[in-house]
Amino acid sequence: MTPSRADAPPAMPTHVRRLRRGERREQILAAATRAFARSGFAATSLDDIVGEAGISRAILYRHFDSKTDMYRAVLDRTCGRLERTFHAGEYAMDSVAALIRAAADDPDGFRLLFRYAVREPEFRDLTDSFAAAAIGIARHSLAAMLPDGPWTAWAAQLVPAVVIEAVIAWLDAGQPDPDQAAERIMHAVQGVIEAVRHRPA
């Protein structure tokens, strides 16, 4: 008796495209970013990541030696994107708007870098390096507006913190009014600048 069409086994796909090495690595990094952003480094297992990526451990180990290696690669990837955002080397409306777009494009990576990784001693070298670069950019931007001195040094440390926390708060609030977000964040930055300019009566 010939099996009916309903009883026949499903046809196997004639061709499944294998990802190139770079594409597979990017797929794994994207999945790892999502998994780490949910639970942080310590609470995320390799099984969580392979499940998120839909791959086997064998494939994962072709690209990364360990969970630590993968986490650092995720952070490097996010840092690289943000460094390209600040190619102009200053805090201005355009660069803050670009930062907001970068955060909106990769909210998990942004939160992972600034909310989780800063609490992980094993990765402080990377987060401290990024923070130092951000302070340097702020100091350069403020030099034309404020006199050199301890309060300007204070502002140079505070401005990056204000911008980053404002962007995280904007993400957490559901990304309201993206066209106005940069302007509102720059108002907060201007408040720091005015605090330095203020002279008590």
Side-chain angles (χ1 to χ4, degrees):
M1 178 177 177
T2 303
S4 68
R5 184 178 297 272
D7 295 332
M12 295 299 292
T14 57
H15 176 69
V16 177
R17 188 176 77 89
R18 294 182 62 184
L19 295 180
R20 296 177 180 173
R21 183 171 181 81
E23 292 173 328
R24 178 67 75 188
R25 180 181 171 86
E26 181 61 24
Q27 177 205 13
I28 296 170
L29 286 175
T33 300
R34 294 190 297 271
F36 285 132
R38 281 197 298 269
S39 307
F41 175 70
T44 301
S45 69
L46 289 177
D47 287 339
D48 294 329
I49 295 166
V50 298
E52 184 74 30
I55 59 173
S56 67
R57 276 198 180 218
I59 291 176
L60 185 147
Y61 280 124
R62 289 176 196 163
H63 297 268
F64 300 98
D65 294 332
S66 65
K67 186 173 80 166
T68 297
D69 179 41
M70 191 184 320
Y71 193 76
R72 187 169 288 275
V74 165
L75 298 180
D76 283 339
R77 175 174 173 262
T78 301
C79 282
R81 288 177 172 178
L82 297 179
E83 285 166 0
R84 290 190 292 275
T85 296
F86 280 102
H87 61 87
E90 62 180 11
Y91 280 92
M93 188 73 75
D94 288 347
S95 57
V96 172
L99 183 68
I100 289 167
R101 288 194 298 272
D105 288 343
D106 186 18
D108 288 334
F110 197 89
R111 289 189 180 100
L112 190 62
L113 180 62
F114 295 114
R115 180 168 284 170
Y116 289 108
V118 293
R119 303 172 190 167
E120 302 283 354
E122 195 170 355
F123 305 99
R124 284 298 299 273
D125 62 315
L126 195 151
T127 56
D128 286 352
S129 175
F130 189 89
I135 291 168
I137 292 170
R139 187 181 290 274
H140 173 76
S141 300
L142 296 172
M145 295 180 280
L146 299 171
D148 191 28
W151 282 113
T152 298
W154 168 80
Q157 294 196 52
L158 186 56
V159 163
V162 167
V163 170
I164 288 165
E165 286 301 321
V167 173
I168 290 176
W170 175 77
L171 289 173
D172 291 347
Q175 305 181 25
D177 299 320
D179 294 337
Q180 298 181 25
E183 180 181 357
R184 293 179 186 229
I185 291 173
M186 286 303 294
H187 278 311
V189 170
Q190 191 62 36
V192 175
I193 293 169
E194 292 304 320
V196 176
R197 285 177 174 158
H198 175 69
R199 295 290 184 270

